[in-house]
Amino acid sequence: MTNNSSDHNKMRDTQSHIKADSDRAYSFFAFFTLSLIVGAGYWITSFIMRPDDPLSTIIYYRYGDMDYFSSIFRVLDAGYGDFTIFEHQGKGVFTFPFMAQFPYQVMNFLFGKVGFVIADILLSGIRFYIIFLIVSFFTSKHSAIWAFIIFLLCSSQTASFMSQWVDIPDLWNFRIARNYVNSVYLFFSFYMLVKVVNQIDRDKITWSEFALLGLSLSLMLQASIHDAMILCSGAFIIFTFHTYQKLKIDMSWIVLGLVFLLCSSFFIFQQIAGSKEMHSLWGIYPHIRVEGIIVLANVPRSAIGYGFISFVIATFYRYLYVNNIGKIAHPDRKHSLFFTLGILFIVLLFFPHIFSAISRLGVQDHHFVYTYRIIEAIFQVSLILFFTDIVIIFLAKFSKKENNIQQKYDKAGAWLITVLLLTSIALTTYTHAKMHIERNNTTVQARVWHKDIGKHGGGWKKIQNYREDFNDLVRWLNKRESVQQEVLGSLDFQLGQWWVAFRDGYVYLPDTFASISKQSEIESRLFSFLKMHNISTSTFEKLLTSDYFIKRFHSLFKYQANALYTYASTLNEYPPEVLDRIYRSPFISMLHIPISEKKRILDAYKKHQVESFRLDIIVSVKETPYYFQPSPEYNYCRSYQNRTFDIFEPCSKLN
């Protein structure tokens, strides 16, 4: 009888476990599906609100940096060669790290323009899955539900809305590529780093985990070099500790290094074979003033406190794990979590300074702040684990019926999870719908530079009815007879990006971000284009005070000026009012062409003779400082116009 009862209990326990596993699987797939719907939110809203807009316009108005659009849709076709200039098509090597765009590039290659939509949706699902893996590693119950709550509440839109009442961490937003794409790689790298630390703690090393960490760090390097610097430095510190303890280099670290180098081989090839001029255009600069290094500390000082707290909590969990105290889940893993966070906060505080001092280089150092914000958000979410465990330990300590307390706590926790789940769904639905509706109600450019020419950060103010007139232009272009690979000339950078991405065309004025053209050719083409429009030297000089004009058509970040670096070796090259801003700028924040360099550019412009490059269509934007009509001597005639755009083509083609 006893044996039968025992067998019956075992069978009941087995059935209970099977049912629990089944419930967890159902909940995971349900929430994974909902995460895909969240990723589709912008597209669903757009197709409902703007059913007549071309798909290219809807993509064009999606949140993000437009600099990436041309490379997303064209770089694979060009074999990572030049895809913006007709005369250079397929030549050279595109040197910008590609993993931030890669999911969109692959989906576009497979499915065409619809692939952009598919990539958006899949990235949302992948983000949830990685958050699920992280949560599952530290908790034993309700992991899918908790992961989905974190996924929803920690989007920047919901976090921003809730900030008026409570501080919700911001783990992601919809901006391409930072941080909608980049943060996915960061989460993956962080997850693998914590798992490796946990394996070292338990002295149970598996090469596969180290290999995956090498892969994740390589992906991170090729998506965001700033995130990669921090994560790789954290891994190096952990490697140093482990090697010091073992008094030898463990083979697993060699595996990690080999996988990292192998997976980064294309990135290394890009940097070796690509144009070195592009590095200065993107914002890599040599420090010329040592005292400026002190100013580099962009990471908030709260990192000191967060790092200290992380190590204290890590020690607490280490004590519980070693002494087998408390009834909490996975204290060893939570020790690894907070220990890793503590290491990363230390790295964030000191690495930018060390890198700066050793290399004497800077590269858009403000991006380290974005890395810090995500690590900070992970830390804030991790504190929930800690406080939950404290409550469990406290209740168990003062209760005679420990199991009863645990059951009541689990029941209360189930109610809390339900409330949080419903709240997060409601908040996310509201905040994201509001954001998507506002975006679709945008009638001006997809991106504006609000201030006037001559003011820092200005040069491309709002143009009313731009979107409507842009749609009309797209429809007209789709109807007209045209040859393949047409070359567009325009001072509307966004139109140029659309032209390259969605018309499979080329631009007359090199894209300073994506083209491999040398600075001399960029200047020559710009001079020729302006001369064709009879632009005087004085008008050109005024254009050289526009951040928009300098960045998009002349030299991108080449003439940045900050406390660490100025293009001119002497500060006498800058007027007093500019010097004041330079001293107060610890990283790339302003552009200003030095006096002697501006004189060189203006002298070259005066002497320049128009060169013969292919130019099939000219688009000029009305009501802007960049509205110019081509000179009659070059035989371009108006072929189309609306309230915003004026189109000119060779007269011989129109006759």
Side-chain angles (χ1 to χ4, degrees):
M1 184 72 179
T2 305
N3 289 336
N4 290 338
S5 177
S6 176
D7 291 341
H8 178 73
N9 289 335
K10 288 181 180 178
M11 182 179 298
R12 185 177 59 189
D13 290 342
T14 301
Q15 291 174 342
S16 177
H17 284 304
I18 293 174
K19 184 178 185 303
D21 290 341
S22 176
D23 289 344
R24 279 193 288 270
Y26 286 139
S27 64
F28 169 78
F29 285 111
F31 294 131
F32 180 79
T33 303
L34 286 174
S35 71
L36 297 180
I37 295 174
V38 172
Y42 169 75
W43 307 104
I44 295 171
T45 309
S46 299
F47 295 146
I48 292 173
M49 293 183 62
R50 291 187 170 271
D52 297 328
D53 275 18
L55 177 59
S56 63
T57 303
I58 295 174
I59 295 174
Y60 179 82
Y61 271 83
R62 189 208 180 284
Y63 327 87
D65 290 335
M66 288 192 168
D67 310 55
Y68 294 100
F69 279 11
S70 60
S71 61
I72 286 173
F73 287 95
R74 292 292 299 282
V75 74
L76 289 182
D77 295 336
Y80 277 87
D82 196 307
F83 49 86
T84 67
I85 301 299
F86 176 78
E87 287 79 5
H88 302 324
Q89 53 182 303
K91 297 177 182 177
V93 177
F94 181 55
T95 54
F96 193 81
F98 70 98
M99 284 308 301
Q101 306 102 284
F102 191 65
Y104 293 93
Q105 290 169 348
V106 171
M107 290 298 104
N108 176 66
F109 180 79
L110 294 175
F111 303 106
K113 296 177 180 61
V114 177
F116 194 98
V117 181
I118 297 172
D120 241 11
I121 297 170
L122 288 179
L123 279 167
S124 182
I126 293 170
R127 180 187 310 279
F128 165 68
Y129 179 65
I130 294 177
I131 291 175
F132 167 75
L133 289 177
I134 294 173
V135 173
S136 299
F137 190 64
F138 303 113
T139 61
S140 56
K141 292 185 178 181
H142 310 301
S143 55
I145 303 175
W146 272 118
F148 191 63
I149 291 171
I150 293 171
F151 171 82
L152 292 180
L153 285 180
C154 296
S155 74
S156 61
Q157 294 75 30
T158 309
S160 176
F161 177 80
M162 289 293 291
S163 63
Q164 51 192 317
W165 298 291
V166 62
D167 184 21
I168 296 288
D170 174 8
L171 286 175
W172 59 281
N173 62 34
F174 277 96
R175 183 183 176 189
I176 297 177
R178 189 185 64 250
N179 59 8
Y180 189 65
V181 182
N182 292 358
S183 60
V184 171
Y185 299 120
L186 194 153
F187 293 151
F188 180 39
S189 298
F190 178 80
Y191 172 63
M192 293 313 307
L193 187 57
V194 172
K195 291 197 75 174
V196 162
V197 170
N198 184 248
Q199 288 197 350
I200 293 172
D201 280 348
R202 295 185 296 116
D203 199 24
K204 294 182 179 179
I205 306 296
T206 56
W207 288 5
S208 60
E209 302 292 344
F210 281 76
L212 283 173
L213 177 58
L215 169 64
S216 67
L217 292 175
S218 174
L219 296 177
M220 189 76 268
L221 174 67
Q222 297 171 86
S224 169
I225 191 170
H226 299 87
D227 294 346
M229 284 179 177
I230 300 303
L231 270 294
C232 287
S233 298
F236 179 77
I237 291 175
I238 293 165
F239 157 75
T240 304
F241 283 161
H242 188 215
T243 303
Y244 177 77
Q245 289 175 337
K246 291 272 188 177
L247 297 178
K248 66 176 183 178
I249 298 178
D250 194 285
M251 188 64 187
S252 55
W253 289 102
I254 297 176
V255 171
L256 185 155
L258 289 175
V259 171
F260 176 80
L261 289 174
L262 179 64
C263 295
S264 304
S265 56
F266 183 71
F267 172 77
I268 296 170
F269 165 75
Q270 283 181 291
Q271 305 316 307
I272 294 174
S275 169
K276 301 304 181 288
E277 282 193 5
M278 293 306 301
H279 295 159
S280 64
L281 293 181
W282 289 334
I284 299 176
Y285 59 85
H287 298 164
I288 62 175
R289 284 181 291 280
V290 177
E291 67 272 15
I293 293 176
I294 299 171
V295 192
L296 191 62
N298 300 317
V299 174
R301 298 299 182 274
S302 55
I304 300 174
Y306 290 157
F308 175 76
I309 293 170
S310 295
F311 284 125
V312 170
I313 296 176
T315 304
F316 168 76
Y317 279 118
R318 181 72 176 175
Y319 176 78
L320 295 183
Y321 170 61
V322 171
N323 294 283
N324 195 26
I325 299 173
K327 298 290 185 179
I328 59 174
H330 310 302
D332 59 318
R333 297 179 180 181
K334 291 169 186 173
H335 163 263
S336 303
L337 167 68
F338 283 99
F339 180 78
T340 304
L341 284 169
I343 292 291
L344 293 180
F345 281 124
I346 289 177
V347 170
L348 280 161
L349 275 170
F350 295 106
F351 175 80
H353 301 279
I354 296 172
F355 174 79
S356 171
I358 295 175
S359 69
R360 299 302 301 277
L361 291 175
V363 49
Q364 299 193 25
D365 303 303
H366 60 290
H367 283 245
F368 286 118
V369 178
Y370 299 128
T371 311
Y372 168 77
R373 292 301 179 199
I374 294 182
I375 300 299
E376 178 190 42
I378 294 174
F379 169 76
Q380 291 171 338
V381 172
S382 300
L383 284 178
I384 297 174
L385 287 174
F386 172 67
F387 289 123
T388 301
D389 288 341
I390 290 295
V391 170
I392 293 175
I393 293 171
F394 179 82
L395 292 176
K397 180 75 174 176
F398 294 98
S399 173
K400 295 179 180 179
K401 298 179 180 180
E402 185 175 312
N403 292 333
N404 188 40
I405 287 291
Q406 185 70 40
Q407 290 174 2
K408 289 183 177 181
Y409 182 84
D410 287 344
K411 189 174 182 180
W415 278 101
L416 176 63
I417 289 174
T418 303
V419 171
L420 283 174
L421 179 62
L422 295 176
T423 302
S424 61
I425 291 175
L427 276 175
T428 304
T429 302
Y430 170 75
T431 56
H432 285 224
K434 183 173 180 287
M435 176 186 67
H436 298 325
I437 290 171
E438 287 176 354
R439 190 61 174 173
N440 277 286
N441 283 331
T442 300
T443 59
V444 298
Q445 308 98 299
R447 182 177 181 181
V448 297
W449 302 53
H450 296 281
K451 301 173 185 176
D452 293 317
I453 281 183
K455 294 183 179 179
H456 171 57
W460 188 240
K461 294 178 70 175
K462 291 181 180 180
I463 304 170
Q464 298 302 324
N465 305 308
Y466 182 96
R467 181 166 184 164
E468 182 180 344
D469 292 340
F470 179 81
N471 281 333
D472 289 340
L473 172 62
V474 171
R475 295 185 188 101
W476 177 80
L477 287 169
N478 289 335
K479 290 178 182 178
R480 77 187 252 281
E481 293 184 11
S482 61
V483 296
Q484 289 185 335
Q485 301 181 329
E486 284 186 308
V487 177
L488 166 75
S490 178
L491 292 175
D492 183 345
F493 170 75
Q494 297 173 113
L495 176 61
Q497 285 285 306
W498 177 89
W499 184 269
V500 173
F502 302 108
R503 292 282 295 182
D504 295 334
Y506 296 89
V507 287
Y508 184 90
L509 300 174
D511 180 345
T512 53
F513 174 78
S515 174
I516 64 167
S517 299
K518 294 183 178 179
Q519 182 65 47
S520 57
E521 183 180 356
I522 293 175
E523 278 195 354
S524 178
R525 284 176 170 269
L526 179 61
F527 292 171
S528 292
F529 187 75
L530 296 178
K531 289 273 187 176
M532 289 174 63
H533 290 76
N534 281 336
I535 304 304
S536 66
T537 304
S538 59
T539 301
F540 178 49
E541 183 176 11
K542 184 179 180 182
L543 292 175
L544 289 175
T545 65
S546 163
D547 277 17
Y548 167 78
F549 182 81
I550 294 172
K551 284 183 180 179
R552 304 282 55 126
F553 304 110
H554 186 264
S555 47
L556 201 57
F557 297 122
K558 179 179 178 179
Y559 296 112
Q560 60 185 295
N562 58 54
L564 291 169
Y565 169 79
T566 51
Y567 181 82
S569 58
T570 172
L571 294 176
N572 294 332
E573 291 277 1
Y574 300 92
E577 65 275 11
V578 174
L579 282 176
D580 181 58
R581 293 211 305 270
I582 288 175
Y583 286 128
R584 290 186 286 106
S585 302
F587 46 76
I588 175 174
S589 62
M590 63 172 292
L591 300 173
H592 195 89
I593 302 176
I595 296 171
S596 61
E597 183 67 4
K598 181 177 286 188
K599 183 178 183 302
R600 178 199 68 78
I601 295 170
L602 293 175
D603 288 344
Y605 181 70
K606 290 176 185 177
K607 300 173 184 176
H608 184 78
Q609 300 296 319
V610 175
E611 298 182 69
S612 178
F613 297 111
R614 179 175 170 180
L615 180 57
D616 299 303
I617 184 169
I618 297 173
V619 178
S620 193
V621 183
K622 302 175 183 178
E623 307 299 330
T624 71
Y626 314 102
Y627 178 63
F628 311 114
Q629 296 185 17
S631 175
E633 64 183 284
Y634 296 102
N635 296 314
Y636 283 87
C637 299
R638 180 181 285 110
S639 59
Y640 173 82
Q641 67 174 322
N642 58 30
R643 289 171 299 183
T644 301
F645 299 100
D646 222 350
I647 316 299
F648 301 89
E649 298 181 76
C651 298
S652 57
K653 179 182 177 182
L654 300 177
N655 293 334

